[in-house]
Amino acid sequence: MSGRTERRGETVDLAVQKIRDCILYGRFALGQRLIARELMTELGVGRSTLREAFGKLAADGLLELTPNRGAAVRRMSRAEMRQLFQIRESLEGLAAQLAAEQIDKDDHRQLMEAALRDVQRGPAASNKEFMLHNQMVHNTILKIGGNDQLVQLLGRIHLPLVMAQVNQSLGAAQIAQSTAEHAEIVHAILAGSPAKADAAMRRHLRRSGTWTLGLPDDVFKPS
């Protein structure tokens, strides 16, 4: 029985990952209703497996589940996005500060130097590459900081959904600017300067938030 349960869990996780990728990389549009029958055929899973996958994606903030209407890709309103960036500025500023304080423990410096090498390769060639790069930098900073409660809090504010929502609007200039800001943050952490790391992260998120909130109305869910 345990083997069957493990296999089912793996099948659900695989379905979650495939649907998540479709959302994050633009195959499914924001606000799009997902057709269960079509997904069951495409993924080769049953209704109960898909229902469980939908539940996990809803808990992650990527889907909205509505009785009698099924699942739709979540889209944030402009007000929700503004509030989220306010929260992120404080929490991720703290994460950068903690990473700078912990930089010389264990393998933290090697991890951060690896992140810097990735940054120094220059701006990503595609939006998908940039999203992966962005996730790697922010996740490395969180890991080095070592505050599990902070990791959980940031996990609840749905950064992947933010990236999915702005993905189609990202251009070369925005990607290059964010890449340069990531380099500044990483250098401050490697220098062991909590104050500079905190300030660099806050500047990065404040500018990113200003840019995001300046996007056209059709990017956001109507209030």
Side-chain angles (χ1 to χ4, degrees), residues 88 92 134-142 182 201 204:
R88 285 186 63 199
E92 295 202 49
N134 184 76
Q135 186 177 35
M136 183 277 297
V137 171
H138 285 268
N139 285 349
T140 301
I141 291 170
L142 273 174
H182 286 159
M201 180 65 83
H204 168 57

Side-chain angles (χ1 to χ4, degrees), residues 30-31 61 64 73-86 157-158 161-162 165-166 209 212-223:
L30 297 171
E64 292 179 332
V73 180
R74 184 182 171 203
R75 185 166 57 147
M76 290 186 182
S77 69
R78 194 183 295 273
E80 288 174 322
M81 194 72 79
R82 180 181 295 108
Q83 292 166 4
L84 184 146
F85 269 98
Q86 288 172 344
I157 63 175
H158 318 309
L161 184 66
V162 176
Q165 191 154 332
V166 304
T212 299
L213 293 170
L215 293 174
D217 288 341
D218 59 8
V219 171
F220 303 96
K221 178 181 179 178
S223 300

Side-chain angles (χ1 to χ4, degrees), residues 73-141:
V73 180
R74 184 182 171 203
R75 185 166 57 147
M76 290 186 182
S77 69
R78 194 183 295 273
E80 288 174 322
M81 194 72 79
R82 180 181 295 108
Q83 292 166 4
L84 184 146
F85 269 98
Q86 288 172 344
I87 294 168
R88 285 186 63 199
E89 186 177 323
S90 293
L91 293 184
E92 295 202 49
L94 173 60
Q97 177 183 328
L98 292 174
E101 291 173 354
Q102 303 289 326
I103 190 60
D104 286 319
K105 294 186 177 179
D106 303 321
D107 61 348
H108 294 174
R109 184 167 291 278
Q110 292 94 316
L111 290 171
M112 207 73 258
E113 287 173 345
L116 181 61
R117 286 194 295 273
D118 184 76
V119 168
Q120 288 175 332
R121 289 209 309 263
S126 67
N127 287 14
K128 180 176 180 178
E129 184 182 339
F130 172 71
M131 289 173 71
L132 293 171
H133 157 94
N134 184 76
Q135 186 177 35
M136 183 277 297
V137 171
H138 285 268
N139 285 349
T140 301
I141 291 170

Side-chain angles (χ1 to χ4, degrees), residues 8-21:
R8 173 177 169 76
E10 290 171 359
T11 302
V12 171
D13 289 344
L14 185 60
V16 166
Q17 188 58 55
K18 288 183 176 179
I19 297 170
R20 181 192 297 272
D21 286 347

